[in-house]
Amino acid sequence: MECNNEKKKVSRQSSSFRLRSPSLNALRLQRIFDLFDKNGDGFITVEELSQALSRLGLNADLSDLKSTVESYIQPGNTGLNFDDFSSLHKTLDDSFFGGACGEENEDSSSSAEDESDLAEAFKVFDENGDGFISARELQAVLKKLGLPEGGEMERVEKMIVSVDRNQDGRVDFFEFKNMMRTVVIPSS
């Protein structure tokens, strides 16, 4: 199947974390790279990647992670530089999300996949499993990610209020889903 620009223009908005704007995607990826590069040396080692994934509650087998990542590390480097990390990200995006072109029957299966992706993302934030994201839960995840917003409860509460449509002080799945859809930039 050939991927053409017309298909790209009419493709659906994705509610996943992939942004359709290449410049915003590159900025997001750079920020993730910087968060994972704990010692700031410009490289993400397999150990740093493993630690970052563990902090997010995604415990990966170190030997599996190592075998996947090592093929992207340039000879002589101690880890992934940003370009290597971008290549790894692109490969994972293509493998798990169909990349830019997607499948021919994308519209029929993508909605269920997007819903599943969002449900998994929601579970990361909903630490106690009660079906809601509280300010405390959001703060805990932001702290795990090493984001400065995690240190200021006032900012976290403002984040909650900005998406809390029914004003109950917490974010339910539908509010989370609506929020994630507003973050996505449609292709132009």
Side-chain angles (χ1 to χ4, degrees):
M1 180 177 109
E2 185 177 312
C3 178
N4 61 39
N5 287 336
E6 286 302 307
K7 178 168 171 103
K8 243 177 137 175
K9 286 182 183 178
V10 294
S11 69
R12 64 174 169 75
Q13 280 190 352
S14 171
S15 59
S16 74
F17 293 105
R18 293 176 290 140
L19 299 175
R20 297 294 182 180
S21 169
S23 60
L24 287 176
N25 217 16
L27 287 172
R28 177 187 58 92
L29 199 58
Q30 182 66 56
R31 182 154 183 179
I32 293 168
F33 180 86
D34 293 342
L35 286 170
F36 287 7
D37 180 18
K38 280 299 183 191
N39 63 1
D41 66 353
F43 295 100
I44 299 173
T45 64
V46 173
E47 291 76 22
E48 285 173 322
L49 185 58
S50 176
Q51 290 168 2
L53 293 173
S54 291
R55 283 193 305 275
L56 293 170
L58 305 170
N59 296 317
D61 180 65
L62 191 58
S63 62
D64 288 344
L65 190 60
K66 188 174 184 175
S67 66
T68 301
V69 171
E70 280 188 338
S71 63
Y72 289 88
I73 298 173
Q74 299 299 314
N77 288 348
T78 59
L80 298 166
N81 64 27
F82 181 71
D83 290 337
D84 302 335
F85 185 68
S86 294
S87 295
L88 173 62
H89 177 266
K90 181 176 177 0
T91 300
L92 293 174
D93 183 45
D94 291 347
S95 296
F96 293 106
F97 301 110
C101 289
E103 301 168 10
E104 189 172 308
N105 195 12
E106 184 177 357
D107 289 337
S108 64
S109 64
S110 63
S111 181
E113 290 172 12
D114 286 345
E115 190 82 12
S116 177
D117 289 348
L118 280 174
E120 288 300 313
F122 185 82
K123 287 178 190 175
V124 170
F125 291 92
D126 181 18
E127 291 183 322
N128 66 5
D130 67 353
F132 299 96
I133 301 170
S134 68
R136 187 203 56 74
E137 288 172 318
L138 178 57
Q139 183 180 37
V141 172
L142 294 174
K143 279 183 179 179
K144 285 179 187 175
L145 291 170
L147 298 173
E149 294 89 346
E152 300 177 37
M153 181 53 90
E154 186 177 318
R155 286 179 74 180
V156 173
E157 288 170 346
K158 285 180 182 177
M159 293 168 84
I160 294 286
V161 167
S162 72
V163 297
D164 181 17
R165 297 293 173 231
N166 65 0
Q167 300 176 347
D168 65 354
R170 54 195 185 166
V171 176
D172 62 32
F173 180 69
F174 297 105
E175 292 166 334
F176 178 78
K177 191 163 62 169
N178 288 334
M179 177 205 59
M180 292 307 295
R181 287 201 171 115
T182 63
V183 174
V184 175
I185 309 297
S187 59
S188 52

